[in-house]
Amino acid sequence: MRLKRYRSKRIAMRPMTRLGAGDLCCLDRSCLRRSLRRSLPVLLTSLVMLVLLGIPGPLKAQIFERALVLEGVHIPLPQGGVLENSNIILKGGRIIELGPDSDAPMMSKKLKVKGLFATAGLTDLSSTLTLEDVSSGDSIASAWDGFDRYDSRQILRALSSGVTRIHLVPMGPGGIVGRVSALSLGSREGGGYGILQNEDVALCIDLDAGSPLERIRTYEKVRGALKSAQDLREAVDDYNSDLEEYIEALEEAAKKKAEEKGEEKDEEKDEEKDSKKDEKDEKDDEKKDDGKDSKKDDEDGPKKPDRPERDPAAQILLQALDHELPVMITARRSADLQNAIDLIEEFQLSAIVRGADEAHLLLEELAALEKVSLLLEVPRSSLTRDGGPRRDPHLIAQLDEEGISWAVGSGGESTSLWRSIQALSGQVDASSPLSLALAQGASGPSGGWLRRGSKEVVLWEGNPAEDPLARPNRVIINGTVVWQRPSGSREGSF
Amino acid sequence: MNSRNRGWILLLMGMIGSCWPGAKVVALETTVVISPVAVVAPDGSICGQMAVVIQSDGTIAAVIPADQADPALTTVRAAPGSVLTPGLHDLFGQLGCGQNTLIAGTVLFDFELDAAAAFDPTLAELDQAATHGVLYSTIAAAPAGILNGSSATFLCLSGAEAYPMAAGRPVYALAESVLQSSREPTSRAAMISLWKEWIGDGVAKNKDPGILFCPDSIDFRQTLSLSWKSLPVLVHQGDARSPVERLAGRNALMVVGPFLEDGNPAAVETAIRAARTGTELAFRGGLPATPAHHLRGSAAIAVAAGLDGDAARRALFINPARVVGGDSIGIIEPGARADLVLFSTDPLDPAARVLHVWRGGQRLLKRTRGSIRELGGVR
């Protein structure tokens, strides 16, 4: 404290001097260099800060985010075999490098996952995750609206089975129940899980709900809705053509009016010599006359056509009729499948038939349809005869024979997807459950096998391509470990 | 089973086979060897390259390494990768009961009620279950009293005669279902005091601790709080994650499930925690209402949730026999019944299919194509 006081006193005692223009010559080059050397770090830092402030956020994250390295994992390959002791390097949430020769960048975060098997995440093409109590009943409803992003218990269960993306199928009392949404189960910035990827994957029609009589009524209702959408389109087309005619008629009327006005103006020029007062009166009279004339034109002129009422639900149905939106029809029993086939044929729909347990009874009809694929779910049939639809154990082989494309979905909370795929893989020749699982949703941005650019990684205990008891250990989405198998005896989640 | 009876049974089985298009029974004439095959050992592990010798009386003569098997004997060559297991066991379902439901409860301590009275061996569902590898059905009365008579275990074989596989065990209940307004006990406290008295007198005399239904968490907790001399087999299907840790070191046997897809994860978690305490598990059935592959499904769900594979196989094959006190069933060892199922792969694999079934050494062939269509009946 004393020293500080002393210094401040000395500074205070120093006489105040100012450098004049003549004094500048006293500053030699060495002085300049010294001062520059002192201020250079400050200048550079401020320059870098300015540049940084100008870079957009995501790019900044990619440049400055530390890479995440999964060291010593085994990567099953599509053609069979395993890439052993590989490193997977993730940056900005995506895989930027993978393989045994990939070196971890400096300052990277390393996960101790040696010996685990890494695959891409599974996609459940038919999920009702968190939609237990949500019911919808028209085409405007979106499954995404009903998704409970904070239901971490259910979502973590789905993640624990290796599912990272789902197609959320809306549930309802039957008929047109809403639109299927595609989402990733990654964690959200604001809390919860679920990142919407596509809100309009398909329009969902359920022909399976209720008693046989209710199912027939449902079919008729759906048919009626599609027909009324077609009628609406015709009405709109008629309106558009009527509107064009109306505009033409209006133009003609306007021309006529302009001609009449021209004649009246000539008469006005002759009367210009009258007094201002008279002019005003006359003008007022003319105005009144004009008003009367225009009123007359309106009465006698073209009538504007009435626009059909807007119907957003019908607009979505029209998208389906125009093949802009595929239709997912739930039908399991043969009778419902026949109804689905009739709908597809009548309205020429691009359809995915969900369920299709008794498809073996209608193979020829299904094969004759264009743009139709089946989305199978593993049936939970009991030994009792009235337990539900029955599936032929050789259905897959029969579908392959007929050239009907198919995929597998859980049809529930997604936890059963991997087991469903395992169960069905036994019916598919020369196919491991893993290749069957990863073939689903392969057309998506990060579907298919693990590759550069993938955002979702599942680490398994055991090789899922060969070991039927292999189970997920961790799930990484967008560079974040969203689920990890709890260790120890007090597991918190299943 | 004497030779005269066997003749009748074979004739009967032949008739069933000819009437029922899905399956037929091949009579066992000589000693048969199944080789080379992987076998589920009593500890639940899978031992590869073994040979199982079935003798003409329908029992297992030997389990030996495949290279030691006599090539002169009739040999069934198992498909590569296939696994031979004991028969699956449907515990406390309704398989073989049809519409009959045995309900106890008019008498609080019912010593005479025998679940075997509700068994109908003529039901075709027994053979249907057998084609899925389910070879035993144990039934018990709905637990509405403290003692609900005894359980009954039968071979899944449709016919005129029922084949009991184990002596009945007393079936107890410490559950809400015991409480009735028309008789004692009407409250849980009264039920517990009755239980305390019973443990003090009855069980000690009876010696067999039997099977105890304690379905809910509170039932389970109160069961463990009683001073048992020997813990009964606990049948629990709820969320007892917290009290289950009190099973540690008590050599308990616990019946859990059935676990269904999208079912209660807490029940699965309870089973896994119980297994970690050293408790042996057995999966409860639910046929014919539950899916035909429900037992293996329960095991697959438990394994996915963290249960050890060997423990799951024990819970599928060996422990159910322990639950009902079956001496010669549920195990592949010399002297045991040759009730065997050949799966295409590890039975815990959801892709595993039933390739062959032997009931008492007799082989039940399955048609490879269209069998389920015919069995299930397409409406």
Side-chain angles (χ1 to χ4, degrees), chain A residues 381-383 388 392 394 413 415-416 419 422 471 485 490-491 494, chain B residues 245 261-262 265 273 276 288-289 291 303-305 351 368 373 379:
Chain A
S381 55
S382 63
L383 287 183
D392 190 298
H394 305 283
E413 294 171 8
T415 50
S416 62
R419 282 186 288 279
Q422 280 182 303
R471 55 192 170 206
R485 183 172 291 283
R490 293 190 68 86
E491 284 196 7
F494 144 63
Chain B
E245 291 180 1
E261 298 291 0
D262 302 335
R273 287 190 186 183
R276 289 205 181 108
V303 167
T368 53
R373 194 188 305 187
R379 288 160 290 107

PDB file of all heavy atoms in Angstrom, chain A residues 381-383 388 392 394 413 415-416 419 422 471 485 490-491 494, chain B residues 245 261-262 265 273 276 288-289 291 303-305 351 368 373 379:
ATOM      1  N   SER A 381     -50.047 -62.660 -32.057  1.00  0.00           N
ATOM      2  CA  SER A 381     -51.236 -63.513 -32.110  1.00  0.00           C
ATOM      3  C   SER A 381     -51.189 -64.558 -31.009  1.00  0.00           C
ATOM      4  O   SER A 381     -50.140 -65.075 -30.657  1.00  0.00           O
ATOM      5  CB  SER A 381     -51.315 -64.189 -33.465  1.00  0.00           C
ATOM      6  OG  SER A 381     -50.118 -64.871 -33.719  1.00  0.00           O
ATOM      7  N   SER A 382     -52.330 -64.858 -30.485  1.00  0.00           N
ATOM      8  CA  SER A 382     -52.418 -65.872 -29.450  1.00  0.00           C
ATOM      9  C   SER A 382     -52.852 -67.186 -30.082  1.00  0.00           C
ATOM     10  O   SER A 382     -53.123 -67.265 -31.275  1.00  0.00           O
ATOM     11  CB  SER A 382     -53.431 -65.437 -28.406  1.00  0.00           C
ATOM     12  OG  SER A 382     -54.691 -65.334 -29.012  1.00  0.00           O
ATOM     13  N   LEU A 383     -52.913 -68.229 -29.274  1.00  0.00           N
ATOM     14  CA  LEU A 383     -53.353 -69.515 -29.799  1.00  0.00           C
ATOM     15  C   LEU A 383     -54.859 -69.551 -30.022  1.00  0.00           C
ATOM     16  O   LEU A 383     -55.354 -70.399 -30.728  1.00  0.00           O
ATOM     17  CB  LEU A 383     -52.980 -70.633 -28.812  1.00  0.00           C
ATOM     18  CG  LEU A 383     -51.500 -71.000 -28.720  1.00  0.00           C
ATOM     19  CD1 LEU A 383     -51.321 -72.147 -27.760  1.00  0.00           C
ATOM     20  CD2 LEU A 383     -50.930 -71.387 -30.066  1.00  0.00           C
ATOM     21  N   GLY A 388     -57.239 -62.452 -33.408  1.00  0.00           N
ATOM     22  CA  GLY A 388     -56.839 -61.398 -34.324  1.00  0.00           C
ATOM     23  C   GLY A 388     -56.415 -61.981 -35.650  1.00  0.00           C
ATOM     24  O   GLY A 388     -56.581 -63.175 -35.891  1.00  0.00           O
ATOM     25  N   ASP A 392     -49.149 -65.659 -42.184  1.00  0.00           N
ATOM     26  CA  ASP A 392     -48.453 -66.845 -42.674  1.00  0.00           C
ATOM     27  C   ASP A 392     -46.977 -66.713 -42.299  1.00  0.00           C
ATOM     28  O   ASP A 392     -46.369 -65.654 -42.519  1.00  0.00           O
ATOM     29  CB  ASP A 392     -48.606 -66.913 -44.197  1.00  0.00           C
ATOM     30  CG  ASP A 392     -48.130 -68.222 -44.753  1.00  0.00           C
ATOM     31  OD1 ASP A 392     -46.933 -68.537 -44.603  1.00  0.00           O
ATOM     32  OD2 ASP A 392     -48.948 -68.934 -45.322  1.00  0.00           O
ATOM     33  N   HIS A 394     -44.524 -67.703 -43.743  1.00  0.00           N
ATOM     34  CA  HIS A 394     -43.675 -67.542 -44.938  1.00  0.00           C
ATOM     35  C   HIS A 394     -44.098 -66.319 -45.752  1.00  0.00           C
ATOM     36  O   HIS A 394     -43.852 -66.266 -46.957  1.00  0.00           O
ATOM     37  CB  HIS A 394     -43.736 -68.807 -45.781  1.00  0.00           C
ATOM     38  CG  HIS A 394     -43.372 -70.030 -44.996  1.00  0.00           C
ATOM     39  ND1 HIS A 394     -42.065 -70.338 -44.679  1.00  0.00           N
ATOM     40  CD2 HIS A 394     -44.137 -70.972 -44.418  1.00  0.00           C
ATOM     41  CE1 HIS A 394     -42.051 -71.452 -43.957  1.00  0.00           C
ATOM     42  NE2 HIS A 394     -43.281 -71.845 -43.774  1.00  0.00           N
ATOM     43  N   GLU A 413     -44.291 -48.587 -29.211  1.00  0.00           N
ATOM     44  CA  GLU A 413     -43.412 -47.574 -28.619  1.00  0.00           C
ATOM     45  C   GLU A 413     -41.965 -47.691 -29.091  1.00  0.00           C
ATOM     46  O   GLU A 413     -41.060 -47.177 -28.442  1.00  0.00           O
ATOM     47  CB  GLU A 413     -43.471 -47.680 -27.101  1.00  0.00           C
ATOM     48  CG  GLU A 413     -44.830 -47.320 -26.537  1.00  0.00           C
ATOM     49  CD  GLU A 413     -44.942 -47.641 -25.069  1.00  0.00           C
ATOM     50  OE1 GLU A 413     -43.937 -47.994 -24.447  1.00  0.00           O
ATOM     51  OE2 GLU A 413     -46.058 -47.557 -24.537  1.00  0.00           O
ATOM     52  N   THR A 415     -39.803 -49.856 -28.800  1.00  0.00           N
ATOM     53  CA  THR A 415     -38.860 -50.690 -28.038  1.00  0.00           C
ATOM     54  C   THR A 415     -38.758 -52.089 -28.641  1.00  0.00           C
ATOM     55  O   THR A 415     -37.782 -52.782 -28.434  1.00  0.00           O
ATOM     56  CB  THR A 415     -39.321 -50.826 -26.577  1.00  0.00           C
ATOM     57  OG1 THR A 415     -40.689 -51.205 -26.569  1.00  0.00           O
ATOM     58  CG2 THR A 415     -39.157 -49.533 -25.822  1.00  0.00           C
ATOM     59  N   SER A 416     -39.792 -52.498 -29.370  1.00  0.00           N
ATOM     60  CA  SER A 416     -39.785 -53.862 -29.902  1.00  0.00           C
ATOM     61  C   SER A 416     -39.212 -53.935 -31.305  1.00  0.00           C
ATOM     62  O   SER A 416     -39.161 -55.022 -31.883  1.00  0.00           O
ATOM     63  CB  SER A 416     -41.212 -54.406 -29.911  1.00  0.00           C
ATOM     64  OG  SER A 416     -42.026 -53.619 -30.749  1.00  0.00           O
ATOM     65  N   ARG A 419     -36.225 -56.423 -31.888  1.00  0.00           N
ATOM     66  CA  ARG A 419     -36.651 -57.823 -31.747  1.00  0.00           C
ATOM     67  C   ARG A 419     -37.565 -58.224 -32.912  1.00  0.00           C
ATOM     68  O   ARG A 419     -37.499 -59.355 -33.391  1.00  0.00           O
ATOM     69  CB  ARG A 419     -37.360 -58.031 -30.412  1.00  0.00           C
ATOM     70  CG  ARG A 419     -36.397 -58.140 -29.248  1.00  0.00           C
ATOM     71  CD  ARG A 419     -37.121 -58.500 -27.967  1.00  0.00           C
ATOM     72  NE  ARG A 419     -37.915 -57.410 -27.444  1.00  0.00           N
ATOM     73  CZ  ARG A 419     -37.424 -56.399 -26.728  1.00  0.00           C
ATOM     74  NH1 ARG A 419     -36.146 -56.365 -26.437  1.00  0.00           N
ATOM     75  NH2 ARG A 419     -38.199 -55.428 -26.300  1.00  0.00           N
ATOM     76  N   GLN A 422     -35.293 -58.836 -35.763  1.00  0.00           N
ATOM     77  CA  GLN A 422     -34.593 -60.113 -35.548  1.00  0.00           C
ATOM     78  C   GLN A 422     -35.516 -61.278 -35.886  1.00  0.00           C
ATOM     79  O   GLN A 422     -35.101 -62.240 -36.540  1.00  0.00           O
ATOM     80  CB  GLN A 422     -34.157 -60.219 -34.084  1.00  0.00           C
ATOM     81  CG  GLN A 422     -32.887 -59.443 -33.759  1.00  0.00           C
ATOM     82  CD  GLN A 422     -32.498 -59.637 -32.309  1.00  0.00           C
ATOM     83  OE1 GLN A 422     -33.277 -59.362 -31.398  1.00  0.00           O
ATOM     84  NE2 GLN A 422     -31.304 -60.121 -32.080  1.00  0.00           N
ATOM     85  N   ARG A 471     -26.871 -55.982 -27.374  1.00  0.00           N
ATOM     86  CA  ARG A 471     -27.802 -54.931 -26.945  1.00  0.00           C
ATOM     87  C   ARG A 471     -27.074 -53.586 -26.905  1.00  0.00           C
ATOM     88  O   ARG A 471     -25.859 -53.543 -26.651  1.00  0.00           O
ATOM     89  CB  ARG A 471     -28.406 -55.256 -25.588  1.00  0.00           C
ATOM     90  CG  ARG A 471     -27.404 -55.503 -24.505  1.00  0.00           C
ATOM     91  CD  ARG A 471     -28.054 -56.101 -23.272  1.00  0.00           C
ATOM     92  NE  ARG A 471     -27.049 -56.556 -22.327  1.00  0.00           N
ATOM     93  CZ  ARG A 471     -27.244 -57.504 -21.443  1.00  0.00           C
ATOM     94  NH1 ARG A 471     -28.385 -58.119 -21.381  1.00  0.00           N
ATOM     95  NH2 ARG A 471     -26.301 -57.857 -20.611  1.00  0.00           N
ATOM     96  N   ARG A 485     -26.343 -47.113 -21.122  1.00  0.00           N
ATOM     97  CA  ARG A 485     -26.829 -48.190 -20.246  1.00  0.00           C
ATOM     98  C   ARG A 485     -26.273 -47.968 -18.850  1.00  0.00           C
ATOM     99  O   ARG A 485     -25.058 -47.866 -18.683  1.00  0.00           O
ATOM    100  CB  ARG A 485     -26.376 -49.552 -20.780  1.00  0.00           C
ATOM    101  CG  ARG A 485     -26.906 -50.714 -19.941  1.00  0.00           C
ATOM    102  CD  ARG A 485     -26.596 -52.037 -20.603  1.00  0.00           C
ATOM    103  NE  ARG A 485     -27.368 -52.207 -21.822  1.00  0.00           N
ATOM    104  CZ  ARG A 485     -28.660 -52.530 -21.873  1.00  0.00           C
ATOM    105  NH1 ARG A 485     -29.324 -52.745 -20.759  1.00  0.00           N
ATOM    106  NH2 ARG A 485     -29.284 -52.652 -23.017  1.00  0.00           N
ATOM    107  N   ARG A 490     -28.058 -50.771  -9.476  1.00  0.00           N
ATOM    108  CA  ARG A 490     -29.246 -49.922  -9.355  1.00  0.00           C
ATOM    109  C   ARG A 490     -29.533 -49.223 -10.683  1.00  0.00           C
ATOM    110  O   ARG A 490     -29.406 -48.009 -10.806  1.00  0.00           O
ATOM    111  CB  ARG A 490     -29.062 -48.901  -8.244  1.00  0.00           C
ATOM    112  CG  ARG A 490     -28.989 -49.526  -6.883  1.00  0.00           C
ATOM    113  CD  ARG A 490     -29.051 -48.464  -5.821  1.00  0.00           C
ATOM    114  NE  ARG A 490     -30.363 -47.837  -5.794  1.00  0.00           N
ATOM    115  CZ  ARG A 490     -31.397 -48.304  -5.118  1.00  0.00           C
ATOM    116  NH1 ARG A 490     -31.284 -49.407  -4.430  1.00  0.00           N
ATOM    117  NH2 ARG A 490     -32.540 -47.672  -5.126  1.00  0.00           N
ATOM    118  N   GLU A 491     -29.900 -50.019 -11.675  1.00  0.00           N
ATOM    119  CA  GLU A 491     -30.212 -49.431 -12.970  1.00  0.00           C
ATOM    120  C   GLU A 491     -31.459 -48.573 -12.856  1.00  0.00           C
ATOM    121  O   GLU A 491     -32.438 -48.970 -12.246  1.00  0.00           O
ATOM    122  CB  GLU A 491     -30.440 -50.528 -13.994  1.00  0.00           C
ATOM    123  CG  GLU A 491     -29.140 -51.147 -14.446  1.00  0.00           C
ATOM    124  CD  GLU A 491     -29.305 -51.943 -15.721  1.00  0.00           C
ATOM    125  OE1 GLU A 491     -30.375 -51.901 -16.313  1.00  0.00           O
ATOM    126  OE2 GLU A 491     -28.324 -52.575 -16.103  1.00  0.00           O
ATOM    127  N   PHE A 494     -34.755 -48.891 -18.224  1.00  0.00           N
ATOM    128  CA  PHE A 494     -34.714 -50.171 -18.932  1.00  0.00           C
ATOM    129  C   PHE A 494     -34.589 -49.897 -20.416  1.00  0.00           C
ATOM    130  O   PHE A 494     -35.284 -49.070 -20.943  1.00  0.00           O
ATOM    131  CB  PHE A 494     -35.984 -50.950 -18.603  1.00  0.00           C
ATOM    132  CG  PHE A 494     -36.520 -51.753 -19.724  1.00  0.00           C
ATOM    133  CD1 PHE A 494     -35.796 -52.790 -20.253  1.00  0.00           C
ATOM    134  CD2 PHE A 494     -37.750 -51.459 -20.245  1.00  0.00           C
ATOM    135  CE1 PHE A 494     -36.289 -53.528 -21.266  1.00  0.00           C
ATOM    136  CE2 PHE A 494     -38.243 -52.201 -21.269  1.00  0.00           C
ATOM    137  CZ  PHE A 494     -37.525 -53.228 -21.793  1.00  0.00           C
TER     138      PHE A 494
ATOM    139  N   GLU B 245     -34.551 -56.098  -3.328  1.00  0.00           N
ATOM    140  CA  GLU B 245     -33.162 -56.237  -2.884  1.00  0.00           C
ATOM    141  C   GLU B 245     -33.061 -57.002  -1.560  1.00  0.00           C
ATOM    142  O   GLU B 245     -31.988 -57.461  -1.190  1.00  0.00           O
ATOM    143  CB  GLU B 245     -32.506 -54.861  -2.798  1.00  0.00           C
ATOM    144  CG  GLU B 245     -32.321 -54.295  -4.204  1.00  0.00           C
ATOM    145  CD  GLU B 245     -31.694 -52.941  -4.252  1.00  0.00           C
ATOM    146  OE1 GLU B 245     -31.363 -52.421  -3.173  1.00  0.00           O
ATOM    147  OE2 GLU B 245     -31.543 -52.410  -5.350  1.00  0.00           O
ATOM    148  N   GLU B 261     -44.246 -56.855 -25.235  1.00  0.00           N
ATOM    149  CA  GLU B 261     -43.688 -55.648 -25.866  1.00  0.00           C
ATOM    150  C   GLU B 261     -44.529 -54.443 -25.443  1.00  0.00           C
ATOM    151  O   GLU B 261     -45.746 -54.523 -25.411  1.00  0.00           O
ATOM    152  CB  GLU B 261     -43.710 -55.779 -27.388  1.00  0.00           C
ATOM    153  CG  GLU B 261     -42.868 -56.914 -27.930  1.00  0.00           C
ATOM    154  CD  GLU B 261     -41.375 -56.699 -27.770  1.00  0.00           C
ATOM    155  OE1 GLU B 261     -40.969 -55.662 -27.230  1.00  0.00           O
ATOM    156  OE2 GLU B 261     -40.607 -57.600 -28.177  1.00  0.00           O
ATOM    157  N   ASP B 262     -43.846 -53.365 -25.139  1.00  0.00           N
ATOM    158  CA  ASP B 262     -44.487 -52.126 -24.691  1.00  0.00           C
ATOM    159  C   ASP B 262     -45.227 -52.323 -23.369  1.00  0.00           C
ATOM    160  O   ASP B 262     -46.155 -51.583 -23.043  1.00  0.00           O
ATOM    161  CB  ASP B 262     -45.464 -51.569 -25.740  1.00  0.00           C
ATOM    162  CG  ASP B 262     -44.770 -51.297 -27.050  1.00  0.00           C
ATOM    163  OD1 ASP B 262     -43.550 -51.077 -27.031  1.00  0.00           O
ATOM    164  OD2 ASP B 262     -45.439 -51.303 -28.091  1.00  0.00           O
ATOM    165  N   PRO B 265     -42.162 -51.590 -17.973  1.00  0.00           N
ATOM    166  CA  PRO B 265     -40.705 -51.775 -17.831  1.00  0.00           C
ATOM    167  C   PRO B 265     -40.271 -51.978 -16.392  1.00  0.00           C
ATOM    168  O   PRO B 265     -39.227 -52.575 -16.130  1.00  0.00           O
ATOM    169  CB  PRO B 265     -40.116 -50.494 -18.421  1.00  0.00           C
ATOM    170  CG  PRO B 265     -41.209 -49.504 -18.350  1.00  0.00           C
ATOM    171  CD  PRO B 265     -42.489 -50.245 -18.430  1.00  0.00           C
ATOM    172  N   ARG B 273     -33.308 -56.957 -11.241  1.00  0.00           N
ATOM    173  CA  ARG B 273     -32.708 -56.670  -9.918  1.00  0.00           C
ATOM    174  C   ARG B 273     -32.756 -57.904  -9.029  1.00  0.00           C
ATOM    175  O   ARG B 273     -31.837 -58.165  -8.258  1.00  0.00           O
ATOM    176  CB  ARG B 273     -33.435 -55.518  -9.253  1.00  0.00           C
ATOM    177  CG  ARG B 273     -33.109 -54.203  -9.906  1.00  0.00           C
ATOM    178  CD  ARG B 273     -33.620 -53.049  -9.102  1.00  0.00           C
ATOM    179  NE  ARG B 273     -33.433 -51.810  -9.812  1.00  0.00           N
ATOM    180  CZ  ARG B 273     -33.735 -50.630  -9.334  1.00  0.00           C
ATOM    181  NH1 ARG B 273     -34.251 -50.524  -8.134  1.00  0.00           N
ATOM    182  NH2 ARG B 273     -33.522 -49.544 -10.031  1.00  0.00           N
ATOM    183  N   ARG B 276     -30.012 -60.152  -9.910  1.00  0.00           N
ATOM    184  CA  ARG B 276     -28.712 -59.664  -9.421  1.00  0.00           C
ATOM    185  C   ARG B 276     -28.494 -60.005  -7.947  1.00  0.00           C
ATOM    186  O   ARG B 276     -27.368 -60.009  -7.475  1.00  0.00           O
ATOM    187  CB  ARG B 276     -28.612 -58.155  -9.619  1.00  0.00           C
ATOM    188  CG  ARG B 276     -28.467 -57.795 -11.073  1.00  0.00           C
ATOM    189  CD  ARG B 276     -27.785 -56.456 -11.240  1.00  0.00           C
ATOM    190  NE  ARG B 276     -27.702 -56.163 -12.664  1.00  0.00           N
ATOM    191  CZ  ARG B 276     -28.425 -55.252 -13.281  1.00  0.00           C
ATOM    192  NH1 ARG B 276     -29.265 -54.520 -12.595  1.00  0.00           N
ATOM    193  NH2 ARG B 276     -28.295 -55.050 -14.570  1.00  0.00           N
ATOM    194  N   PRO B 288     -53.580 -69.711 -23.387  1.00  0.00           N
ATOM    195  CA  PRO B 288     -53.480 -69.464 -24.833  1.00  0.00           C
ATOM    196  C   PRO B 288     -53.744 -68.012 -25.230  1.00  0.00           C
ATOM    197  O   PRO B 288     -53.711 -67.693 -26.405  1.00  0.00           O
ATOM    198  CB  PRO B 288     -54.565 -70.369 -25.396  1.00  0.00           C
ATOM    199  CG  PRO B 288     -55.600 -70.394 -24.335  1.00  0.00           C
ATOM    200  CD  PRO B 288     -54.882 -70.288 -23.026  1.00  0.00           C
ATOM    201  N   ALA B 289     -54.010 -67.125 -24.263  1.00  0.00           N
ATOM    202  CA  ALA B 289     -54.381 -65.749 -24.623  1.00  0.00           C
ATOM    203  C   ALA B 289     -53.178 -64.940 -25.110  1.00  0.00           C
ATOM    204  O   ALA B 289     -53.290 -64.127 -26.022  1.00  0.00           O
ATOM    205  CB  ALA B 289     -55.016 -65.052 -23.430  1.00  0.00           C
ATOM    206  N   PRO B 291     -49.356 -64.220 -26.856  1.00  0.00           N
ATOM    207  CA  PRO B 291     -48.765 -64.723 -28.097  1.00  0.00           C
ATOM    208  C   PRO B 291     -48.086 -66.085 -27.910  1.00  0.00           C
ATOM    209  O   PRO B 291     -47.557 -66.380 -26.834  1.00  0.00           O
ATOM    210  CB  PRO B 291     -47.739 -63.653 -28.453  1.00  0.00           C
ATOM    211  CG  PRO B 291     -48.243 -62.430 -27.803  1.00  0.00           C
ATOM    212  CD  PRO B 291     -48.927 -62.867 -26.563  1.00  0.00           C
ATOM    213  N   VAL B 303     -33.542 -60.065 -21.475  1.00  0.00           N
ATOM    214  CA  VAL B 303     -32.125 -60.039 -21.874  1.00  0.00           C
ATOM    215  C   VAL B 303     -31.766 -58.658 -22.435  1.00  0.00           C
ATOM    216  O   VAL B 303     -30.716 -58.105 -22.122  1.00  0.00           O
ATOM    217  CB  VAL B 303     -31.829 -61.168 -22.896  1.00  0.00           C
ATOM    218  CG1 VAL B 303     -30.480 -60.964 -23.560  1.00  0.00           C
ATOM    219  CG2 VAL B 303     -31.868 -62.522 -22.195  1.00  0.00           C
ATOM    220  N   ALA B 304     -32.657 -58.108 -23.245  1.00  0.00           N
ATOM    221  CA  ALA B 304     -32.399 -56.766 -23.800  1.00  0.00           C
ATOM    222  C   ALA B 304     -32.286 -55.734 -22.694  1.00  0.00           C
ATOM    223  O   ALA B 304     -31.572 -54.738 -22.821  1.00  0.00           O
ATOM    224  CB  ALA B 304     -33.511 -56.386 -24.758  1.00  0.00           C
ATOM    225  N   ALA B 305     -32.996 -55.985 -21.595  1.00  0.00           N
ATOM    226  CA  ALA B 305     -32.966 -55.017 -20.484  1.00  0.00           C
ATOM    227  C   ALA B 305     -31.797 -55.266 -19.534  1.00  0.00           C
ATOM    228  O   ALA B 305     -31.606 -54.483 -18.605  1.00  0.00           O
ATOM    229  CB  ALA B 305     -34.270 -55.086 -19.716  1.00  0.00           C
ATOM    230  N   ALA B 351     -35.338 -64.652 -33.752  1.00  0.00           N
ATOM    231  CA  ALA B 351     -35.439 -65.291 -35.073  1.00  0.00           C
ATOM    232  C   ALA B 351     -35.478 -66.814 -34.985  1.00  0.00           C
ATOM    233  O   ALA B 351     -35.685 -67.480 -36.000  1.00  0.00           O
ATOM    234  CB  ALA B 351     -34.261 -64.867 -35.938  1.00  0.00           C
ATOM    235  N   THR B 368     -43.221 -77.799 -43.018  1.00  0.00           N
ATOM    236  CA  THR B 368     -42.428 -76.577 -43.123  1.00  0.00           C
ATOM    237  C   THR B 368     -43.219 -75.431 -43.733  1.00  0.00           C
ATOM    238  O   THR B 368     -42.937 -74.293 -43.478  1.00  0.00           O
ATOM    239  CB  THR B 368     -41.183 -76.818 -43.981  1.00  0.00           C
ATOM    240  OG1 THR B 368     -41.616 -77.385 -45.216  1.00  0.00           O
ATOM    241  CG2 THR B 368     -40.214 -77.731 -43.261  1.00  0.00           C
ATOM    242  N   ARG B 373     -50.850 -71.560 -41.064  1.00  0.00           N
ATOM    243  CA  ARG B 373     -52.092 -71.186 -41.725  1.00  0.00           C
ATOM    244  C   ARG B 373     -53.164 -72.232 -41.396  1.00  0.00           C
ATOM    245  O   ARG B 373     -54.298 -71.919 -41.115  1.00  0.00           O
ATOM    246  CB  ARG B 373     -51.869 -71.134 -43.231  1.00  0.00           C
ATOM    247  CG  ARG B 373     -53.000 -70.438 -43.957  1.00  0.00           C
ATOM    248  CD  ARG B 373     -52.888 -70.556 -45.423  1.00  0.00           C
ATOM    249  NE  ARG B 373     -51.618 -70.084 -45.935  1.00  0.00           N
ATOM    250  CZ  ARG B 373     -51.382 -69.973 -47.253  1.00  0.00           C
ATOM    251  NH1 ARG B 373     -52.288 -70.295 -48.128  1.00  0.00           N
ATOM    252  NH2 ARG B 373     -50.214 -69.552 -47.669  1.00  0.00           N
ATOM    253  N   ARG B 379     -59.703 -67.143 -41.048  1.00  0.00           N
ATOM    254  CA  ARG B 379     -61.147 -66.941 -41.091  1.00  0.00           C
ATOM    255  C   ARG B 379     -61.551 -66.350 -42.429  1.00  0.00           C
ATOM    256  O   ARG B 379     -60.821 -65.619 -43.054  1.00  0.00           O
ATOM    257  CB  ARG B 379     -61.566 -65.989 -39.967  1.00  0.00           C
ATOM    258  CG  ARG B 379     -61.482 -66.644 -38.625  1.00  0.00           C
ATOM    259  CD  ARG B 379     -61.420 -65.627 -37.532  1.00  0.00           C
ATOM    260  NE  ARG B 379     -60.147 -64.945 -37.557  1.00  0.00           N
ATOM    261  CZ  ARG B 379     -59.999 -63.710 -37.962  1.00  0.00           C
ATOM    262  NH1 ARG B 379     -60.993 -63.006 -38.390  1.00  0.00           N
ATOM    263  NH2 ARG B 379     -58.817 -63.137 -37.953  1.00  0.00           N
TER     264      ARG B 379
END
